[in-house]
Amino acid sequence: MGNRLSKIYTRTGDDGSTGLGDGSRTGKDSLRVAAYGTVDELNSAIGMVVAAEGLGDDIREALFQIQHELFDLGGELCIPGMAMIQAKDIDRLEAVLDGFNADLPALKDFILPGGGMASATCHLARTICRRAEREVVALGRVEDIRPEARRYLNRLSDLLFVIARVIARRSGQGEVLWEHERRPRG
């Protein structure tokens, strides 16, 4: 961060525009701002999971690393042409995902968001991640976006799903399965 913020408000956005990292200005409702804004929202939701008690150091450390990478991704999306997320970051997500998934039973039913507050919050983060991915895809249809950004978010949503499962099981509250036979068909 080259310049330190000594004053939080600037009034430059009062007209509905915002500054990008390269100094250019765009509308606050632009696809680019929506994409990096949702990445920021995702980072905040993950922060809520990290703040939960009883997560375990392995989950906390994985999510803390992801928060840093999401800040990098937000920077990449805020500065047109910037490259921050690399293939090695996606490889690391896959390795973490495989590690957490190794001891989970195979899925036979859909899982509802739940299994305790931390698990439910992780499911919320997963859905925000999916929205961020959709917004990056939309942005990529009109501007050049590196494929690593999409791939990272796609893999992260899978990892958040697995972590939510692990949290629910470790908490003793268990996963909440969708009861598809609860009502008659017709």
Side-chain angles (χ1 to χ4, degrees):
M1 189 168 172
N3 298 320
R4 295 280 181 211
L5 293 175
S6 59
K7 193 172 186 181
I8 299 302
Y9 63 90
T10 62
R11 297 186 176 117
T12 57
D14 290 351
D15 65 353
S17 69
T18 190
L20 295 178
D22 66 356
S24 65
R25 296 199 65 80
T26 191
K28 289 185 179 185
D29 59 349
S30 74
L31 292 174
R32 183 172 294 280
V33 174
Y36 72 72
T38 303
V39 168
D40 186 34
E41 181 183 348
L42 169 60
N43 207 337
S44 295
I46 290 174
M48 292 176 65
V49 179
V50 170
E53 293 183 20
L55 277 189
D57 289 341
D58 55 346
I59 291 174
R60 194 174 310 283
E61 289 170 15
L63 293 177
F64 188 64
Q65 176 67 32
I66 288 164
Q67 284 190 291
H68 284 279
E69 290 166 352
L70 286 173
F71 211 83
D72 292 339
L73 177 58
E76 179 171 327
L77 294 170
C78 181
I79 305 170
M82 175 64 74
M84 299 283 290
I85 296 297
Q86 304 299 321
K88 67 180 181 170
D89 299 317
I90 299 159
D91 293 342
R92 189 191 60 74
L93 283 183
E94 290 175 356
V96 171
L97 194 157
D98 290 342
F100 281 123
N101 197 47
D103 295 329
L104 290 175
L107 284 174
K108 296 178 183 170
D109 296 292
F110 287 106
I111 295 173
L112 298 178
M117 185 58 79
S119 177
T121 304
C122 198
H123 278 291
L124 176 62
R126 172 187 56 80
T127 64
I128 295 168
C129 187
R130 287 288 189 205
R131 180 163 31 97
E133 180 185 6
R134 291 189 304 270
E135 290 175 352
V136 166
V137 167
L139 175 60
R141 294 196 192 289
V142 296
E143 295 187 43
D144 288 335
I145 298 296
R146 297 173 57 249
E148 289 83 357
R150 284 190 322 272
R151 289 181 55 224
Y152 184 88
L153 290 168
N154 188 287
R155 214 66 80 246
L156 178 56
S157 64
D158 294 336
L159 175 56
L160 291 171
F161 176 76
V162 167
I163 289 175
R165 291 189 70 199
V166 170
I167 293 170
R169 292 174 157 276
R170 285 184 187 176
S171 73
Q173 296 191 31
E175 297 172 289
V176 181
L177 301 179
W178 174 50
E179 298 172 5
H180 56 86
E181 301 295 331
R182 75 189 184 295
R183 62 170 118 181
R185 306 254 178 211

